[in-house]
């Protein structure tokens, strides 16, 4: 299996969330399933709400639900919907960034404001003191027209730019943190620490941070980019408050930005009165930990890396084994070894045969001097090709057939060398088989009912003529 390339390794080292980003763009459905499985450890969401958070089910029309809650008539409902559709069509036809859905072009325009405010976080009352309404309108028109604005010329004050940024966030059709994630954000502030199985009033910060990390990875890409830029600006602003420059703490910033980035557009202040403090505290917590909430949790990184490792292994197994162009060096080595294996097996078999013959010869030499020993040594000498250490020594070919167990060393040696004896010709020119033993005469003790075939003693006129056989009638045995 081919490992990751050098470029991939360098990217993974420079960006710890490389595999998370890769899975998020290449296989969004699998990525949502992984995030959903991790979110269920922290959040208690029913099936439909969890599907909405993951984006696997359509979001219900909040306007229809609002009209149904007010119990208006069908005619009034149709009128309101028709008016809303007309306004939405009019806004989509207009070329601008304010009041339109968030896009990459709109994000590029708003980045001009964020970059300018990043250099003026020390201004007292930033994001709190409103600017001039006429200058704000002129700045909005310039942004809607798509022209590049040099804010450093001094035409607009930092308070003007900060107010326009808040207006842009408040006029988005959907809050920056999305409506479908709203039920999850309500549960995160309630995560507290446990001491001896008893819930305390101390917030479980690590658990809250990990939950925000998963939720932010599920945001649309353009929402995630803008949220990261805004929170980085607010974090820098809150850090400047420590030097008593702008008097804008993270809590104050959370109170001002929660309605723009978190509150659903369809809910009023009366609907949110029980959760206002909780939502404001959630935004303040996100601002304080904005340097961590956009990283991926450790478990999500590990699961994404395992996903691609399993994918690479599966792809490697599907590659044809006979492909020479795509074969890796390790595959070529394996193929070379496979080609050499038959020769190695033959050599190993020859070595084992030589060892067996050597052991047999050594056993014969260790026998006491006797007629049997001299007989065995003579047989070895007659077949010098099988005597270990002789120049003509070679391994005999293995004969197929039924193996007959020998009863003695002599029979074993005779059987081993019988196949190598030179064949002699008969007087008729035919080759005789040395392995066939001579036939013994048939005994005269024959049971009744059996047939006996004997060779005729009559010789024909020709020496090489075949011998005739005659069948004798069965005779009862005389007692």
């Amino acid at each position: 299996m081919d490992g990751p390339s050098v470029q991939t390794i360098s990217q993974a080292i420079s960006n710890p969330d490389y595999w998370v980003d890769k899975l998020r763009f290449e296989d969004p459905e699998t990525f949502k399933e992984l995030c959903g499985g991790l979110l269920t450890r922290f959040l208690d969401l029913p099936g439909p709400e969890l599907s909405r958070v993951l984006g696997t089910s359509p979001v219900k029309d909040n306007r229809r639900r609002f009209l149904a809650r007010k119990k208006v008539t069908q005619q009034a409902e149709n009128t309101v919907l028709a008016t809303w559709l007309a306004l939405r069509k009019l806004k989509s036809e207009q070329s601008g960034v304010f009041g339109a859905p968030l896009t990459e072009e709109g994000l590029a325009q708003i980045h001009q404001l964020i970059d300018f405010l990043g250099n003026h976080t020390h201004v007292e009352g930033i994001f709190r003191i409103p600017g001039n309404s006429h200058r704000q309108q002129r700045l909005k028109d310039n942004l809607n027209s798509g022209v590049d604005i040099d804010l450093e010329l001094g035409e607009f004050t930092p308070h003007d730019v900060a107010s326009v940024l808040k207006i842009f966030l408040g006029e988005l059709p959907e809050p920056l943190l999305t409506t479908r994630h709203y039920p999850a954000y309500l549960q995160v502030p309630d995560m507290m620490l446990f001491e001896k199985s008893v819930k305390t009033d101390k917030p479980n910060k690590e658990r809250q941070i990990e939950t925000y990390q998963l939720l932010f990875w599920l945001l649309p890409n353009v929402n995630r980019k803008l949220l990261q830029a805004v929170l980085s600006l607010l974090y820098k602003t809150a850090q400047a408050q420590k030097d008593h420059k702008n008097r804008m703490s993270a809590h104050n910033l959370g109170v001002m930005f929660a309605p723009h980035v978190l509150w659903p557009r369809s809910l009023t202040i009366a609907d949110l009165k029980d959760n206002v403090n909780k939502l404001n505290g959630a935004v303040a917590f996100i601002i304080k930990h904005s340097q961590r909430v956009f990283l991926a949790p450790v478990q999500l990184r590990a699961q994404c890396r395992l996903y691609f490792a399993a994918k690479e292994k599966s792809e490697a197994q599907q590659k044809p084994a006979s492909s020479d162009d795509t074969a890796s060096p390790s595959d070529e080595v394996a193929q070379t070894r496979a080609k050499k294996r038959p020769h190695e097996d033959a050599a190993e078999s020859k070595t084992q045969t030589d060892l067996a013959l050597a052991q047999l010869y050594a056993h014969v030499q260790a026998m006491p001097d006797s007629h049997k020993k001299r007989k065995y040594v003579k047989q070895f000498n007659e077949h010098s090709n099988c005597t270990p250490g002789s120049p003509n020594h070679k391994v005999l070919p293995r004969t197929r057939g039924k193996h007959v167990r020998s009863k003695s060393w002599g029979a074993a040696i005779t059987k081993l060398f019988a196949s190598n004896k030179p064949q002699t010709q008969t007087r008729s020119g035919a080759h005789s088989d040395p392995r066939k033993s001579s036939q013994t005469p048939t005994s005269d003790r024959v049971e009744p009912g059996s047939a006996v075939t004997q060779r005729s003693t009559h010789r024909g006129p020709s020496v090489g003529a075949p011998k005739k056989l005659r069948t004798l009638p069965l005779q009862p045995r005389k007692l």
Side-chain angles (χ1 to χ4, degrees):
M1 179 182 67
D2 297 337
S5 62
V6 176
Q7 182 180 2
T8 302
I9 295 175
S10 62
Q11 291 176 351
I13 294 175
S14 60
N15 180 17
D17 298 334
Y18 170 78
W19 300 110
V20 182
D21 273 324
K22 184 177 176 66
L23 181 59
R24 180 168 173 248
F25 286 101
E26 292 186 1
D27 195 348
E29 297 301 325
T30 302
F31 180 77
K32 290 178 181 178
E33 291 179 1
L34 291 179
C35 292
L38 295 175
L39 277 175
T40 54
R41 300 182 305 150
F42 309 128
L43 301 178
D44 184 15
L45 295 174
E49 290 189 4
L50 181 61
S51 300
R52 288 182 58 191
V53 169
L54 298 178
T56 56
S57 64
V59 180
K60 296 182 180 179
D61 193 342
N62 293 327
R63 295 163 186 81
R64 288 184 178 273
R65 185 173 55 186
F66 173 75
L67 294 174
R69 188 168 63 247
K70 295 298 183 180
K71 297 181 180 180
V72 296
T73 61
Q74 185 67 30
Q75 183 178 1
E77 181 180 353
N78 294 337
T79 303
V80 173
L81 286 175
T83 304
W84 175 76
L85 291 174
L87 292 174
R88 183 178 180 183
K89 182 178 180 181
L90 180 62
K91 285 186 177 181
S92 62
E93 292 176 354
Q94 295 177 351
S95 59
V97 297
F98 288 84
L102 189 59
T103 60
E104 292 289 345
E105 293 77 8
L107 179 60
Q109 290 293 95
I110 298 303
H111 255 293
Q112 299 179 83
L113 308 180
I114 297 174
D115 295 340
F116 173 78
L117 293 173
N119 300 326
H120 298 82
T121 55
H122 62 280
V123 177
E124 183 177 354
I126 190 73
F127 295 113
R128 178 173 57 85
I129 300 175
N132 185 275
S133 59
H134 296 286
R135 291 195 299 265
Q136 292 175 19
Q137 185 61 42
R138 189 163 64 251
L139 179 58
K140 288 177 60 177
D141 294 340
N142 292 337
L143 292 173
N144 281 329
S145 61
V147 298
D148 293 335
I149 307 171
D150 190 358
L151 297 174
E152 298 294 341
L153 295 177
E155 183 180 358
F156 306 99
T157 65
H159 297 292
D160 297 334
V161 179
S163 299
V164 171
L165 178 60
K166 289 195 298 182
I167 292 173
F168 170 79
L169 295 174
E171 290 185 358
L172 287 174
E174 188 181 25
L176 195 58
L177 294 177
T178 68
T179 303
R180 67 171 183 263
H181 290 178
Y182 177 72
Y185 290 122
L186 288 177
Q187 295 188 19
V188 178
D190 296 332
M191 296 179 181
M192 302 297 176
L193 291 173
F194 284 83
E195 293 182 0
K196 297 180 180 180
S197 302
V198 178
K199 188 175 182 179
T200 63
D201 296 334
K202 299 177 182 179
N204 191 339
K205 295 182 179 180
E206 294 300 324
R207 194 171 185 178
Q208 292 182 15
I209 290 174
E210 189 170 352
T211 306
Y212 284 127
Q213 288 174 340
L214 294 171
L215 291 174
F216 289 171
W217 277 105
L218 292 173
L219 289 173
N221 190 41
V222 64
N223 289 49
R224 177 180 170 85
K225 289 181 180 179
L226 180 57
L227 179 64
Q228 189 171 6
V230 171
L231 290 180
S232 179
L233 173 63
L234 298 181
Y235 176 81
K236 189 176 181 180
T237 305
Q239 292 298 314
Q241 184 266 342
K242 295 181 180 180
D243 299 332
H244 305 283
K245 293 181 178 180
N246 56 22
R247 299 181 181 180
M248 295 300 297
S249 62
H251 176 73
N252 295 336
L253 293 172
V255 172
M256 283 185 289
F257 276 86
H260 302 296
V261 301
L262 186 55
W263 291 9
R265 301 288 186 256
S266 61
L267 301 181
T268 63
I269 189 64
D271 300 327
L272 295 170
K273 62 181 181 180
D274 297 333
N275 298 319
V276 168
N277 294 332
K278 182 185 296 186
L279 298 176
N280 293 343
V283 176
F285 181 87
I286 294 172
I287 293 173
K288 292 179 181 178
H289 301 88
S290 60
Q291 306 300 312
R292 296 181 56 190
V293 292
F294 289 97
L295 300 176
V298 177
Q299 292 188 356
L300 182 61
R301 291 179 185 176
Q303 291 185 10
C304 292
R305 182 65 188 95
L306 290 175
Y307 170 84
F308 283 105
K311 185 178 179 180
E312 291 174 2
K313 183 177 180 180
S314 176
E315 291 176 355
Q317 292 176 352
Q318 294 177 359
K319 289 183 180 180
S322 61
S323 177
D324 297 332
D325 298 336
T326 59
S328 61
S330 59
D331 296 337
E332 295 178 358
V333 172
Q335 293 177 3
T336 305
R337 290 179 178 177
K339 292 179 181 179
K340 294 182 178 180
R341 186 163 298 171
H343 303 285
E344 295 176 356
D345 294 343
E348 183 179 358
S349 176
K350 181 179 178 180
T351 303
Q352 294 178 356
T353 305
D354 294 343
L355 180 61
L357 286 173
Q359 292 177 353
L360 180 61
Y361 187 75
H363 180 77
V364 172
Q365 292 293 340
M367 294 174 60
D369 190 13
S370 62
H371 174 71
K372 185 180 291 187
K373 176 182 178 180
R374 290 191 294 272
K375 178 181 177 182
Y376 294 159
V377 172
K378 182 179 180 181
Q379 290 179 351
F380 269 107
N381 294 333
E382 289 178 357
H383 304 277
S384 59
N385 59 336
C386 293
T387 304
S390 64
N392 299 326
H393 172 58
K394 63 180 180 179
V395 181
L396 299 178
R398 184 177 181 182
T399 58
R400 295 185 179 181
K402 186 177 180 181
H403 174 71
V404 180
R405 185 178 299 277
S406 301
K407 296 182 179 180
S408 64
W409 285 101
I413 296 175
T414 303
K415 181 175 179 59
L416 181 62
F417 303 143
S419 60
N420 294 328
K421 289 183 179 181
Q423 296 179 352
T424 58
Q425 293 185 351
T426 59
R427 286 174 296 175
S428 61
H431 294 280
S432 62
D433 191 353
R435 290 174 295 182
K436 293 183 179 180
S437 59
S438 60
Q439 296 182 0
T440 56
T442 307
S443 173
D444 59 345
R445 300 173 60 89
V446 180
E447 297 295 334
S450 63
V452 179
T453 303
Q454 296 180 351
R455 294 184 182 273
S456 174
T457 57
H458 174 72
R459 294 184 179 271
S462 175
V463 177
K467 298 179 180 181
K468 295 182 181 180
L469 303 178
R470 59 189 182 88
T471 304
L472 300 179
L474 298 179
Q475 298 294 336
R477 183 179 177 183
K478 295 182 181 182
L479 301 177

